[in-house]
Amino acid sequence: MVLGTTSGAGKSWLTTALCRHYARMGLKVAPFKAQNMSNNARVVDGGEIGSAQYFQALAAQAEPEVRMNPLLLKPEADTRSQVVLMGQVNEALSSMPWRGRSLHVWPQIAAALDALREENDVVVIEGAGSPAEINLHASDIVNMRVARHAQARCLLVTDIDRGGAFAHLYGTWALLPAEERALIHGFVLNKFRGDASLLAPAPQMLQDLTGVPTVATLPMWWQHGLPEEDGVFDDRTRASGAVGKTVTVIAYPRISNLDEFQPLKNVPGVRLVWARTPADCAGADWLVLPGSKATAADLAWLRAQGLDRAVAAHAAQGGAVLGVCGGLQMLGEALIDTHGIDGNAPGLGLLPLVTQFDLQKTVRHTHTAFGALHGAWAALSGVAAAGYEIHHGQTAQHPAMAAGGDVAREVLPGLGWQNAAGNVLGVYLHGLFEDPRVLHALFGATAPTLETVFNGLADFIETHFEPGVLDQLIAP
């Protein structure tokens, strides 16, 4: 099990790396995270799970499934989340006070974990946040309760780049009860920059205090190739090679599925920028409105920041605009919600479409092909594409505007529309930039494959962990 002293310490990518390492040994491997709080989700058989567990399953060379992330919390506001249990939205749990959920969900979490342990040689478990949040310990269902249940051998990873790493490690260990401390088998220093020999004598001093060795010092690695977990993304803007196109993604508070833009970081000549203000949009070739878990609320935020005017100005000047899922809905004329799912709101009016929110949630894999496009998106004409849908809204042409001649061109059957000028495109299909056919059509290039990324992660930890540690973690 991989635990962290904080969120963002490196649990997700290290879990992914371990999954690939053990799979390369010829073992049958599965990932597991009891509860994930994230608006980044993927479609699997039986519903949806957190994106991190989806990628971990692929790294483990296993079929992603709902047991790998039995509980997914999708934040809709600071004090409210949609609860997805075993892949399906559970309205009763969503309306229940969060401290009361543990009793109801633990049996299914434990059963999922036990089944995976029975069916696999190795299960690599990811914790959440910190296991030493003493205000949460009594209702814990994702950290040490899971570790105790499985008697997992735990690694505790910390982000040394933040400073205070040894205090984080010692403090986390010290706050755990003795039976849980005994499960910590190694400390991992992540994101180290400089000469590792200068760390001495701190690792030995820490081992003298705790009995736990420091088993790896992992160098800072900016571009390991995995998308950022949750909403904690890297704000640095980079390009692979000389910049030929700047893709600016609006980063609203409830952005969802931001991981689908990861491949753009590795396309030669493309610079990816996250925008929270109109100034961040300066110099953009494309403006992208991504998915949202709270479309009406994020649209209100976008207007409060003045980003609506920035998007409108960019479009008026002929600049390319792309809306994905919630972003597509925002580009239309109106959001209509008669069921209290998301909220009513006027849209940005860049596409003559209306979205109505349904009680039934669409969650599915989709294989389709673009029809004829023109203008900024003409390169996609006839291109086959595969991705996934996760949305409550259903979108259609605005009847009154269609009667007046303002018609959106349907370019993906029931899933995508383009304006008459050709520069504004809205689609429901997530994962476009993960499809090599789409990347090649738009940029004439491809990004590294996931297999390359997973093997690179495994190579990295095999190089930097102390010899024999990875074998000891799974020894009988």
Side-chain angles (χ1 to χ4, degrees):
M1 184 170 187
V2 180
L3 302 165
T5 57
T6 61
S7 294
K11 295 184 293 292
S12 293
W13 81 260
L14 181 53
T15 301
T16 309
L18 289 168
C19 283
R20 176 47 58 100
H21 167 76
Y22 292 124
R24 292 203 303 196
M25 293 174 61
L27 298 169
K28 188 177 181 184
V29 183
F32 181 81
K33 185 167 185 173
Q35 174 183 286
N36 196 346
M37 178 175 282
S38 177
N39 278 330
N40 297 323
R42 295 288 170 136
V43 176
V44 300
D45 187 24
E48 54 183 313
I49 63 173
S51 291
Q53 283 63 64
Y54 175 85
F55 289 117
Q56 289 161 5
L58 297 183
Q61 299 175 336
E63 183 69 26
E65 53 155 305
V66 296
R67 293 183 302 177
M68 295 169 177
N69 175 209
L71 191 65
L72 175 62
L73 308 181
K74 306 186 80 172
E76 298 175 321
D78 288 345
T79 58
R80 185 181 72 252
S81 293
Q82 182 183 69
V83 177
V84 179
L85 180 64
M86 297 301 288
Q88 299 296 315
V89 175
N90 189 302
E91 296 294 349
L93 290 173
S94 298
S95 60
M96 184 182 297
W98 69 267
R99 285 186 185 273
R101 291 180 192 145
S102 300
L103 182 65
H104 296 273
V105 299
W106 176 251
Q108 293 191 63
I109 289 172
L113 175 56
D114 289 343
L116 291 174
R117 292 171 63 206
E118 180 68 25
E119 297 167 17
N120 292 275
D121 300 314
V122 180
V123 176
V124 186
I125 306 169
E126 181 185 343
S130 162
E133 304 287 5
I134 54 179
N135 58 313
L136 305 178
H137 192 273
S139 56
D140 170 44
I141 53 170
V142 64
N143 285 310
M144 300 316 294
R145 187 172 185 180
V146 173
R148 293 195 311 271
H149 182 82
Q151 284 298 291
R153 294 174 182 176
C154 300
L155 296 173
L156 181 61
V157 58
T158 192
D159 178 355
I160 197 170
D161 192 51
R162 294 185 179 189
F166 294 106
H168 278 149
L169 291 168
Y170 180 75
T172 301
W173 175 89
L175 284 172
L176 296 177
E179 64 175 317
E180 295 177 359
R181 290 180 190 172
L183 297 175
I184 307 297
H185 281 245
F187 295 140
V188 176
L189 300 171
N190 188 31
K191 301 183 185 177
F192 181 72
R193 294 191 258 193
D195 181 355
S197 67
L198 299 178
L199 293 171
Q204 186 58 54
M205 294 171 66
L206 187 61
Q207 185 170 352
D208 292 342
L209 287 167
T210 64
V212 179
T214 297
V215 296
T217 299
L218 305 176
M220 178 68 78
W221 191 9
W222 294 115
Q223 291 273 50
H224 52 60
L226 279 182
E228 296 290 338
E229 166 73 313
D230 304 325
V232 187
F233 44 76
D234 181 359
D235 277 338
R236 284 175 293 275
T237 61
R238 297 189 194 86
S240 178
V243 176
K245 188 180 295 293
T246 297
V247 178
T248 300
V249 182
I250 307 297
Y252 15 80
R254 302 300 170 193
I255 185 173
S256 68
N257 300 85
L258 61 88
D259 52 298
E260 66 182 305
F261 301 107
Q262 171 69 28
L264 296 180
K265 295 182 179 180
N266 301 312
V267 174
V270 173
R271 180 175 67 146
L272 182 65
V273 177
W274 300 100
R276 296 184 182 85
T277 69
D280 295 334
C281 299
D285 295 297
W286 295 0
L287 281 183
V288 180
L289 279 68
S292 167
K293 189 61 189 72
T295 307
D298 277 346
L299 183 53
W301 174 88
L302 186 144
R303 287 190 163 106
Q305 309 308 308
L307 282 161
D308 58 331
R309 296 188 294 276
V311 174
H314 182 79
Q317 294 165 7
V321 177
L322 172 66
V324 181
C325 198
L328 156 67
Q329 296 168 353
M330 293 181 190
L331 290 174
E333 293 293 331
L335 307 176
I336 300 174
D337 183 4
T338 58
H339 302 290
I341 295 168
D342 193 288
N344 298 287
L348 298 176
L350 296 181
L351 288 172
L353 305 170
V354 172
T355 296
Q356 292 192 334
F357 290 100
D358 287 346
L359 289 172
Q360 186 66 34
K361 189 176 188 179
T362 299
V363 179
R364 64 190 175 198
H365 291 288
T366 301
H367 296 266
T368 185
F370 283 94
L373 289 90
H374 63 288
W377 304 101
L380 290 174
S381 295
V383 174
Y388 59 100
E389 298 174 59
I390 303 178
H391 56 93
H392 276 284
Q394 301 298 325
T395 300
Q397 185 81 231
H398 188 293
M401 299 189 76
D406 188 3
V407 178
R409 180 194 298 262
E410 188 175 65
V411 294
L412 279 177
L415 296 175
W417 296 265
Q418 184 182 35
N419 68 342
N423 62 317
V424 180
L425 173 66
V427 298
Y428 265 119
L429 194 65
H430 286 291
L432 280 177
F433 299 120
E434 297 171 339
D435 191 316
R437 297 166 295 186
V438 172
L439 282 183
H440 188 268
L442 291 172
F443 306 108
T446 58
T449 66
L450 282 173
E451 282 299 297
T452 299
V453 170
F454 296 147
N455 285 323
L457 292 172
D459 291 342
F460 186 73
I461 63 170
E462 289 164 11
T463 299
H464 294 290
F465 267 74
E466 292 295 321
V469 167
L470 298 176
D471 289 337
Q472 292 166 12
L473 289 171
I474 62 165

